[in-house]
Amino acid sequence: MPEAQKTGEYEVILEGSEEVLRIDANKWSHSPSVEDHPLVMASTIDKLVEVPSVSRLLFHQRRYYNYNSEQTQYLVEIAKIYDHLVRGKKLFSLGALGFDESYVGFIQEKNALFEYLVFNLLRHDPLGCYVEVQRLLREEKIVIERETVQSLLHLRKRYAGLLEYFFTLLDSTQMVAVVRNQLAGYKTGDRSFYRQLFRPLMTPDFMYTQVMAQPPLNGEQIDMYSKGKSEITVFRIPGDIKLLYHLYPPEFKLTEDEYILLELARNVLAEHKPRQEEFLDPQRMRKTFFNIGRDLLQELAEHKQLSLDYKQIAQLADILVRYTVGFGLLEILLQDEKVQDIMVNGPIGQTPIFLVHQDYGDCVTNIIPSREDSDSWATKLRLLSGRPLDEANPVLDTDLSIPGARSRVSVITTPLSPVGLSFALRRHRDSPWTLPLFIQQKMLTPLASAVLSFVIDGGRALLFAGTRGSGKTSLLGAALIEIMRTHRIITIEDTLEIPVDAMRAMGYNIQPMKVRAALMSGGNEFAADEGIRTSLRMGDSSLIVGEIRSVEAKALFEAMRIGALANVVAGTIHGAHPYAVFDRIVNDLGVPKTSFKAVDLIIVSNPVRSADGLRSWRRVLQITEVRKHWTDDPQKEGGFVDLFRYDSKQDALLPTDDLLQGNSEVLKSIAANVRDWAGNWDAVWEAILLRAQMKETLLKAAQAYQLPELLEAPFVVQSNDYFHQSSDKIHEQHGTYDNKRIFADWEAWLRQEVKRRKFTSS
């Protein structure tokens, strides 16, 4: 908790190296708005005279009104000028102009004017004071030029000198500097300029994280959409290369009575600290807290004689859960399916949250997290994962599931992060990626997708490589959708990213295994290599390794080399090209070169950027076959043969001559095990082209009939199932795999499905 020093009506809170002036405005009859109310500005300046070292202002009245350091300094400068004039004996008095009995009326008039400027206008309306002093100075200079009485001329010059001094003080302030060029025609009492200068972050009582609720005045709106009850606007800000992701959550749309109810309910629920065992089933815990919160809110509403319907109570209960056992505004961000990554940097509270948007790339948000929330998030993630996060274990990798979103979370703390906690969240897609979706995104071509599908059906070993954020894990998930549901799948991950739950819901025979993270030295979880060896004792299965990082590589490649696995084996690994993958696996992870030969295909994906560097797109850059004849260096000995290479001019993944001419040992090896394809490259190639035609037709149908669900995993699985069933049916009827008949049959099925879905939607 921050230390606080109480001083009369306010308190100075020490938050790290920052001093925050906290003012309790709950008994005020007006809102604590510096920009709207002259009295609030004046009283704040009075307080800043006493504590000029503060760097932030915080008012509390139902909500928290937080003025950042820049806005606070505007007022601190005015407070210092006021203090300088009053305490420094610079306040204009009879003696300041010099006493002359002949001009007592003139002197008294000027003193009264100065007292008004300093005691009143300077504190209530500094900009008005600046404009008024400038006007008076200009008028006095004109009068001086015409004055003929020497004694009065002397007084006027001294008076003008004092005005000049006052004007210079005000002209040097940042507040004036920001709006100086706009002050022509300014009228005293106009608060419009203050609304530009002062835009507080407003936060309800039950929140610690700050949100700039008001949109930027100079922002250019380039997109706006809703997610649930949240409103999202994307702005382009002059002078900033990053776009602003502006979130207006449902918490900011509540009435004052609803705010009061939430604060009362939160205080009651805060007395119950969830036990560690409750976090073993977070969904059940959230449901329990929702039911308790709903009943509590209903009782409080009745006690306060407030009329709220069921939907209103349920909405308040959702918010209550989010700010007690949930993750606050992080959940709102994660529930936006267009958000791909979220970054919360340390030191917490000094910078806003950043994110990567599906359509707009890197963005800054209008949300500044608090230390209280970050500490709470870290504690909950420790409990949810059962993994440590402390000085001995400063890294925590885990997964997070909340209503409407799944994500991978990485947390670091001291001593690895010298500024304390830092969070990175990678949002998983709601439904698994599919190859047709990647074709739509231009990450793959129909032909490349067809080759991957063919190789997966052939039960081969694939590595999906790339840098962080290249889409390799998503591509792995799309490849899993190509596995027939007749096969069992075992997944091995230290952080759960593969869409196991979604695949299970689609009828897959899938068993996940969670192992210890490579960076962890101990704990209750199995080591990854032990997990792989255990999977080999669980029967014939496809084996999917979420990411190959450490000692598990030896166990995996040993199993692949000795033929312990008969079905598809796949995993992801960091590497920018095939040789980098070889170097990582053999030289860094210690896998024997002979074992590396068990890999059949390496699929490399990476972002490609626009010339200006502002945009990037994920693309598969290579699909490379690993030959088996080399002994020492596959790069030098022709062990890597590209089947596809990315062409930047065409922005497409193009087949190489080796593939088009049938120079693929992997495809021939698959064909050798099928009687109808053995020794017949043309038949193999036609089978691949059939798959490409189907995936392209599926994409065209989704676009033509505006049925995006045709590209989603549930329908793609149905499509693949029907293709296999149709192939088997036509083979039985005609004794051969007649590709034209298979496609015609599949296309007729697709037309019926499209017709049925269009009818249902209408």
Side-chain angles (χ1 to χ4, degrees):
M1 293 296 291
E3 300 176 15
Q5 175 188 351
K6 292 191 176 179
T7 315
E9 302 173 6
Y10 58 86
E11 57 183 352
V12 178
I13 303 173
L14 302 178
E15 292 188 353
S17 59
E18 273 195 326
E19 292 187 19
V20 181
L21 179 63
R22 186 183 187 279
I23 301 171
D24 186 355
N26 282 297
K27 294 182 180 179
W28 293 5
S29 59
H30 51 270
S31 65
S33 172
V34 167
E35 60 273 23
D36 290 327
H37 295 288
L39 287 175
V40 175
M41 180 174 280
S43 65
T44 303
I45 288 173
D46 289 341
K47 293 175 176 59
L48 290 174
V49 168
E50 299 181 37
V51 282
S53 60
V54 301
S55 54
R56 276 198 295 119
L57 288 172
L58 182 67
F59 293 89
H60 181 220
Q61 188 190 77
R62 303 282 186 231
R63 302 173 179 83
Y64 289 104
Y65 297 75
N66 194 312
Y67 292 88
N68 64 27
S69 58
E70 181 182 13
Q71 297 168 25
T72 302
Q73 286 310 302
Y74 292 154
L75 297 180
V76 168
E77 286 185 326
I78 301 300
K80 287 180 178 179
I81 291 174
Y82 176 74
D83 186 50
H84 172 66
L85 293 174
V86 176
R87 297 179 183 272
K89 307 301 181 184
K90 294 292 183 180
L91 180 63
F92 309 105
S93 64
L94 290 172
L97 291 178
F99 183 75
D100 188 323
E101 191 172 331
S102 304
Y103 300 104
V104 171
F106 173 84
I107 294 171
Q108 289 178 338
E109 176 191 345
K110 299 307 178 185
N111 272 282
L113 179 58
F114 280 129
E115 288 181 3
Y116 165 74
L117 290 173
V118 174
F119 284 112
N120 190 314
L121 200 56
L122 177 61
R123 293 159 54 247
H124 292 82
D125 185 1
L127 294 177
C129 185
Y130 171 79
V131 171
E132 187 67 13
V133 170
Q134 186 179 39
R135 182 186 65 81
L136 291 171
L137 178 60
R138 187 167 52 245
E139 291 177 353
E140 196 62 31
K141 286 180 178 179
I142 293 172
V143 173
I144 287 174
E145 291 178 359
R146 301 171 181 172
E147 184 61 61
T148 57
V149 180
Q150 286 299 316
S151 55
L152 187 56
L153 178 63
H154 175 71
L155 283 176
R156 288 192 180 280
K157 284 184 176 180
R158 295 198 66 178
Y159 169 53
L162 294 173
L163 283 176
E164 186 83 46
Y165 180 71
F166 196 0
F167 176 79
T168 302
L169 290 176
L170 292 172
D171 193 54
S172 65
T173 63
Q174 285 297 310
M175 181 188 294
V176 170
V178 173
V179 297
R180 183 185 290 118
N181 296 331
Q182 306 172 50
L183 288 175
Y186 180 90
K187 295 182 179 179
T188 302
D190 181 5
R191 308 299 293 183
S192 60
F193 286 106
Y194 296 119
R195 295 186 187 101
Q196 294 181 34
L197 293 165
F198 298 96
R199 298 172 66 79
L201 292 168
M202 290 186 292
T203 308
D205 270 350
F206 52 85
M207 291 172 58
Y208 295 108
T209 292
Q210 304 163 25
V211 178
M212 176 65 79
Q214 300 176 19
L217 289 176
N218 58 343
E220 174 193 352
Q221 180 179 317
I222 60 176
D223 195 7
M224 183 176 183
Y225 59 95
S226 298
K227 180 62 183 176
K229 292 185 176 295
S230 298
E231 297 173 7
I232 296 139
T233 312
V234 181
F235 291 97
R236 182 177 286 111
I237 308 298
D240 195 337
I241 199 168
K242 294 184 298 297
L243 298 178
L244 171 65
Y245 178 99
H246 187 277
L247 175 70
Y248 195 76
E251 290 85 318
F252 283 68
K253 303 175 185 178
L254 304 179
T255 66
E256 290 299 321
D257 288 335
E258 289 172 330
Y259 279 130
I260 294 171
L261 284 183
L262 273 177
E263 177 63 11
L264 291 172
R266 187 180 69 88
N267 290 335
V268 173
L269 287 184
E271 298 178 4
H272 172 68
K273 303 294 183 183
R275 300 181 302 276
Q276 183 168 354
E277 55 268 25
E278 291 184 78
F279 280 92
L280 296 176
D281 190 349
Q283 291 183 352
R284 182 178 179 183
M285 178 180 64
R286 291 182 74 106
K287 186 175 181 180
T288 300
F289 267 74
F290 175 85
N291 291 334
I292 294 172
R294 183 184 55 194
D295 294 343
L296 177 60
L297 287 164
Q298 185 66 53
E299 290 178 10
L300 290 171
E302 291 174 357
H303 177 71
K304 290 189 167 292
Q305 298 182 343
L306 299 176
S307 178
L308 298 178
D309 60 30
Y310 178 83
K311 286 185 178 180
Q312 289 174 300
I313 292 291
Q315 180 188 352
L316 293 178
D318 278 333
I319 295 172
L320 189 60
V321 169
R322 196 154 60 235
Y323 290 97
T324 50
V325 296
F327 289 81
L329 285 176
L330 277 184
E331 296 191 4
I332 301 289
L333 293 176
L334 284 171
Q335 286 165 353
D336 180 3
E337 63 274 3
K338 293 186 178 182
V339 170
Q340 297 176 336
D341 291 275
I342 299 171
M343 288 75 70
V344 183
N345 299 327
I348 301 295
Q350 295 190 17
T351 56
I353 293 175
F354 296 87
L355 57 80
V356 178
H357 193 277
Q358 169 187 300
D359 301 328
Y360 302 107
D362 294 314
C363 298
V364 62
T365 73
N366 61 324
I367 303 168
I368 300 179
S370 67
R371 288 194 306 161
E372 291 87 350
D373 278 338
S374 67
D375 291 343
S376 172
W377 298 340
T379 299
K380 290 167 185 172
L381 290 170
R382 280 196 297 264
L383 294 172
L384 285 168
S385 65
R387 294 174 174 176
L389 179 65
D390 48 39
E391 289 191 1
N393 300 274
V395 180
L396 171 60
D397 278 334
T398 187
D399 53 280
L400 174 64
S401 284
I402 60 168
R406 292 188 312 117
S407 69
R408 172 180 176 173
V409 187
S410 294
V411 191
I412 60 173
T413 188
T414 52
L416 183 60
S417 169
V419 290
L421 287 167
S422 175
F423 302 80
L425 296 90
R426 166 68 55 82
R427 188 188 189 280
H428 301 314
R429 197 170 185 273
D430 297 336
S431 179
W433 280 95
T434 65
L435 296 183
L437 279 169
F438 279 127
I439 297 171
Q440 183 186 45
Q441 297 285 328
K442 292 188 176 182
M443 187 168 177
L444 282 170
T445 60
L447 182 59
S449 298
V451 169
L452 288 180
S453 178
F454 187 84
V455 171
I456 290 166
D457 271 351
R460 298 294 152 159
L462 299 87
L463 287 181
F464 294 88
T467 58
R468 187 182 184 278
S470 63
K472 57 185 181 295
T473 302
S474 299
L475 196 55
L476 171 64
L480 297 189
I481 300 301
E482 296 297 307
I483 298 176
M484 282 195 287
R485 289 188 284 183
T486 55
H487 301 308
R488 189 186 193 209
I489 302 172
I490 294 178
T491 65
I492 299 176
E493 301 178 274
D494 58 6
T495 301
L496 302 180
E497 294 186 88
I498 295 171
V500 172
D501 291 339
M503 294 183 68
R504 185 184 296 114
M506 290 185 288
Y508 276 91
N509 179 3
I510 187 167
Q511 173 62 51
M513 296 175 64
K514 187 175 182 181
V515 295
R516 186 167 62 239
L519 293 175
M520 288 180 60
S521 57
N524 297 326
E525 297 168 319
F526 259 52
D529 56 337
E530 288 298 322
I532 290 174
R533 294 189 177 96
T534 300
S535 72
L536 300 180
R537 297 192 291 270
M538 298 183 69
D540 185 20
S541 305
S542 296
L543 179 61
I544 311 300
V545 180
E547 184 169 344
I548 301 168
R549 304 174 192 259
S550 187
V551 293
E552 74 275 7
K554 287 185 178 181
L556 175 64
F557 279 86
E558 180 184 356
M560 291 162 59
R561 186 175 65 85
I562 64 176
L565 299 163
N567 293 316
V568 65
V569 182
T572 67
I573 190 167
H574 286 278
H577 49 78
Y579 189 80
V581 173
F582 167 79
D583 188 43
R584 169 101 172 109
I585 290 174
V586 173
N587 297 325
D588 294 346
L589 301 182
V591 172
K593 295 176 181 178
T594 52
S595 296
F596 179 79
K597 293 180 182 180
V599 178
D600 292 305
L601 287 186
I602 299 174
I603 300 94
V604 179
S605 58
N606 269 316
V608 296
R609 294 193 173 274
S610 59
D612 56 21
L614 295 177
R615 301 293 302 274
S616 66
W617 303 269
R618 293 172 179 172
R619 296 289 186 265
V620 172
L621 303 185
Q622 285 175 276
I623 297 180
T624 302
E625 179 175 295
V626 181
R627 297 286 173 88
K628 316 304 177 188
H629 63 269
W630 56 276
T631 56
D632 186 59
D633 189 325
Q635 186 88 336
K636 295 179 180 178
E637 300 174 53
F640 293 141
V641 176
D642 287 341
L643 302 183
F644 290 88
R645 278 193 296 267
Y646 176 74
D647 186 302
S648 58
K649 291 184 179 179
Q650 299 185 50
D651 189 26
L653 187 64
L654 303 181
T656 63
D657 289 340
D658 282 304
L659 175 62
L660 295 175
Q661 294 170 9
N663 185 24
S664 169
E665 291 184 0
V666 171
L667 298 181
K668 288 179 180 178
S669 175
I670 294 172
N673 296 322
V674 179
R675 185 180 60 186
D676 296 75
W677 294 338
N680 186 351
W681 170 252
D682 289 338
V684 174
W685 187 242
E686 287 178 6
I688 291 172
L689 291 178
L690 170 62
R691 293 174 186 246
Q693 185 181 13
M694 290 168 49
K695 295 189 184 302
E696 187 172 19
T697 301
L698 195 59
L699 175 58
K700 289 180 178 178
Q703 294 171 339
Y705 297 103
Q706 297 183 345
L707 291 172
E709 65 266 28
L710 299 185
L711 306 181
E712 297 292 342
F715 190 82
V716 172
V717 169
Q718 291 182 42
S719 173
N720 291 343
D721 284 352
Y722 192 85
F723 161 68
H724 290 294
Q725 293 167 349
S726 178
S727 299
D728 183 60
K729 177 180 65 176
I730 288 174
H731 185 267
E732 285 187 3
Q733 292 175 351
H734 300 279
T736 182
Y737 292 104
D738 188 325
N739 292 323
K740 290 183 179 179
R741 284 193 172 99
I742 294 172
F743 180 75
D745 185 42
W746 174 87
E747 190 176 33
W749 169 84
L750 177 61
R751 284 197 297 269
Q752 288 296 321
E753 285 295 315
V754 168
K755 184 178 180 181
R756 182 178 65 81
R757 289 169 185 271
K758 290 295 289 183
F759 176 78
T760 302
S761 62
S762 62

